[in-house]
Amino acid sequence: MSIRYISQKLAQQIDEELMSSSGAFSLDQLMELAGLSCAQALAKSYPAKSHKRVMGGDGLVAARHLHMFRYKPTIYLPKPGSKDIYQRLLKQCENLNIPVLKDVEEFKKGLGESDVILDAVFGFSFQPPLRAPFHTVLSAITSTSLPIVSVDIPSGWSVTDGPQPLYTEPDENGNTDSVKTFEPEVLVSLTAPKEGVRGFKGRHWLGGRFVPDELADKFELNLPEYEGVDQVVELPRVE
Amino acid sequence: MSIRYISQKLAQQIDEELMSSSGAFSLDQLMELAGLSCAQALAKSYPAKSHKRVMGGDGLVAARHLHMFRYKPTIYLPKPGSKDIYQRLLKQCENLNIPVLKDVEEFKKGLGESDVILDAVFGFSFQPPLRAPFHTVLSAITSTSLPIVSVDIPSGWSVTDGPQPLYTEPDENGNTDSVKTFEPEVLVSLTAPKEGVRGFKGRHWLGGRFVPDELADKFELNLPEYEGVDQVVELPRVE
């Protein structure tokens, strides 16, 4: 039985169940383990020796663990979150002197000094069309030849249908821009892969080794077995 | 430069700094990473193949991760905590059908069906004398020949002076009992080893790969380098 590709709705439902009073997980716990999974997947795909400089689009927890794994992460935050947890995760990165960029021009410059991109900009709740400044962010990413590690859904892809023609919001004259999407070299799916990445042909890791067996059974996720103490497991390549 | 053995007071100060507004870590985050370290250290010392049944004295987070690593943990809780986080961590274990024992007689029986003990009963804030039911717990542990993995400080040891003659609280006639202490096969020190384990001769892991460099420098912890994505690093054996 192969792994289940889940809908956006089911992904949200699983998160809600994990954090409900019966699931009992806190957001802090889940984000910590998810971010650690992303950092491990990147490290298993691109060793620090050859790919030390990681440009993270969001991904504060992953960046902190990558620092601990002796990478040199930089974080670009297109829309800094205002929630308390976000502020705390940001402070933890600042305490490690991880540079945090807030301007898209700095981000473009930073890409020129990076070895690999960790694309955690959108996540599985993205809905088109593209709003500012994400148009510029996405164009900046697609215009590099750096290897990209995407989390859950490559930025700009539809969670349901994968890579699709992508447009910006209409301006005051009703005009939209078409935006190129990209296929990352590596994908990290958290909890379970989403429907939109069904045709993804790159290296694919599953992370989030915290889903209770009963929850996985209930939703027929057919998760593969992780090895040893790993927080990620590689999925077979799609031909 | 060798690693620093820290006092109980400094251990508490480091925890406080990590969780202060400037450190910005939440208790949930630190317990998650610390518990994961303990589970990894046990797994690297005693493979699930030969030591599947783990009896945990406390250690709720470690037990959950051990379940994920395909061990069969059981938890004994001599004094179930009332704090919200404790209740949530307990619920997470119950959701995985991890047996949770609350009675010392069940614990003694459970030891007979275990392959290894994870001793997280006391932690680094223990102060003698021994209060009930810990006298019975400790005697039950010392009377088995199972390998023991202790966290931070083997239960009953002084955090400052290591293994010491240990007595129970005086009863109504002023009588105390002498209690045997033990030397575990394996020790997991979290953040930094404590003064009391300076002479420990077994296998010694350091865990808690979250201490910011500046904090480690400030307290001259001289932490060793972790390998790859490991959450624990083995310390050289003491001759």
Side-chain angles (χ1 to χ4, degrees), chain A:
Chain A
M1 286 232 281
S2 53
I3 195 165
R4 177 169 179 191
Y5 288 78
I6 64 174
S7 66
Q8 186 171 32
K9 201 178 143 193
L10 182 52
Q12 280 156 349
Q13 192 182 338
I14 291 173
D15 272 10
E16 279 162 21
E17 290 210 13
L18 287 168
M19 287 189 280
S20 70
S21 60
S22 69
F25 277 98
S26 69
L27 183 59
D28 279 56
Q29 282 182 290
L30 295 182
M31 286 186 72
E32 195 61 38
L33 295 175
L36 180 59
S37 295
C38 295
Q40 283 201 355
L42 188 140
K44 284 171 186 277
S45 308
Y46 299 102
K49 220 170 173 178
S50 53
H51 292 75
K52 202 170 185 67
R53 300 168 304 170
V54 182
M55 174 59 79
D58 212 323
L60 292 164
V61 178
R64 171 163 44 82
H65 285 290
L66 285 168
H67 171 93
M68 290 295 172
F69 299 165
R70 289 195 290 284
Y71 287 80
K72 223 176 131 357
T74 297
I75 302 168
Y76 168 56
L77 287 184
K79 291 264 182 191
S82 57
K83 274 192 195 165
D84 173 60
I85 184 171
Y86 212 84
Q87 293 301 319
R88 283 189 283 107
L89 295 174
L90 178 57
K91 179 82 176 127
Q92 289 161 23
C93 287
E94 288 170 349
N95 286 347
L96 301 174
N97 300 312
I98 295 173
V100 179
L101 314 178
K102 292 182 177 154
D103 180 88
V104 71
E105 293 306 317
E106 287 178 45
F107 171 61
K108 281 154 94 172
K109 188 162 163 279
L111 283 175
E113 297 157 4
S114 300
D115 304 310
V116 55
I117 300 174
L118 181 63
D119 161 36
V121 179
F122 287 95
F124 67 73
S125 51
F126 170 67
Q127 296 277 14
L130 262 184
R131 290 169 189 82
F134 295 106
H135 173 189
T136 324
V137 174
L138 210 62
S139 302
I141 295 179
T142 49
S143 69
T144 75
S145 55
L146 295 174
I148 302 170
V149 178
S150 287
V151 177
D152 263 333
I153 284 286
S155 286
W157 286 28
S158 152
V159 186
T160 311
D161 303 307
Q164 297 286 309
L166 187 63
Y167 299 94
T168 56
E169 279 190 303
D171 63 16
E172 60 266 35
N173 303 315
N175 298 322
T176 60
D177 262 347
S178 152
V179 182
K180 240 176 81 186
T181 54
F182 58 86
E183 169 129 349
E185 277 71 13
V186 178
L187 180 65
V188 193
S189 290
L190 297 171
T191 313
K194 315 305 172 291
E195 286 173 345
V197 302
R198 212 182 267 279
F200 175 71
K201 294 202 173 6
R203 202 166 176 190
H204 192 170
W205 298 93
L206 179 72
R209 193 177 183 177
F210 48 67
V211 180
D213 321 322
E214 285 182 8
L215 195 67
D217 289 348
K218 175 175 159 188
F219 294 118
E220 298 175 330
L221 299 182
N222 301 325
L223 301 179
E225 299 256 320
Y226 289 76
E227 287 296 318
V229 302
D230 288 352
Q231 296 297 305
V232 287
V233 53
E234 191 162 6
L235 300 177
R237 288 227 188 202
V238 173
E239 296 304 320

Side-chain angles (χ1 to χ4, degrees), chain B residues 2-8 10-11 14 152-153 159-160 187 189 192-201 204 219-223 235-238:
Chain B
S2 53
I3 196 165
R4 178 169 178 190
Y5 288 77
I6 64 174
S7 66
Q8 186 171 32
L10 183 51
I14 291 173
D152 263 334
I153 284 285
V159 186
T160 311
L187 180 66
S189 290
K194 315 305 172 291
E195 286 173 347
V197 302
R198 212 182 266 279
F200 175 71
K201 295 200 172 7
H204 192 169
F219 295 118
E220 298 175 330
L221 300 181
N222 302 324
L223 301 178
L235 301 177
R237 289 223 188 204
V238 172

Side-chain angles (χ1 to χ4, degrees), chain B residues 148-226:
Chain B
I148 302 170
V149 178
S150 287
V151 177
D152 263 334
I153 284 285
S155 286
W157 286 28
S158 152
V159 186
T160 311
D161 302 308
Q164 296 286 312
L166 189 62
Y167 298 94
T168 57
E169 279 190 304
D171 64 16
E172 62 264 35
N173 302 318
N175 297 325
T176 61
D177 262 347
S178 151
V179 182
K180 240 175 80 184
T181 54
F182 59 86
E183 169 130 348
E185 277 71 14
V186 177
L187 180 66
V188 193
S189 290
L190 297 171
T191 313
K194 315 305 172 291
E195 286 173 347
V197 302
R198 212 182 266 279
F200 175 71
K201 295 200 172 7
R203 204 166 174 191
H204 192 169
W205 299 92
L206 180 72
R209 193 176 182 179
F210 48 67
V211 180
D213 321 322
E214 284 181 10
L215 195 67
D217 289 348
K218 175 176 157 187
F219 295 118
E220 298 175 330
L221 300 181
N222 302 324
L223 301 178
E225 300 255 319
Y226 289 76

Side-chain angles (χ1 to χ4, degrees), chain B residues 115-131:
Chain B
D115 303 310
V116 54
I117 300 172
L118 180 63
D119 161 37
V121 179
F122 287 95
F124 66 74
S125 51
F126 169 67
Q127 296 277 14
L130 263 184
R131 289 169 190 81

Side-chain angles (χ1 to χ4, degrees), chain B residues 58-130:
Chain B
D58 212 325
L60 292 165
V61 177
R64 170 163 44 82
H65 285 289
L66 285 168
H67 170 93
M68 290 295 172
F69 299 165
R70 289 195 290 283
Y71 287 80
K72 222 175 133 352
T74 296
I75 302 168
Y76 168 57
L77 287 184
K79 291 264 182 191
S82 57
K83 275 192 193 164
D84 173 60
I85 183 171
Y86 211 84
Q87 293 301 319
R88 284 189 283 107
L89 295 174
L90 179 56
K91 179 82 176 125
Q92 290 162 24
C93 287
E94 288 169 348
N95 286 346
L96 300 175
N97 302 312
I98 296 173
V100 178
L101 315 178
K102 291 181 180 157
D103 179 89
V104 70
E105 292 306 319
E106 288 179 45
F107 171 61
K108 280 154 94 172
K109 185 161 166 279
L111 282 175
E113 298 157 4
S114 300
D115 303 310
V116 54
I117 300 172
L118 180 63
D119 161 37
V121 179
F122 287 95
F124 66 74
S125 51
F126 169 67
Q127 296 277 14
L130 263 184

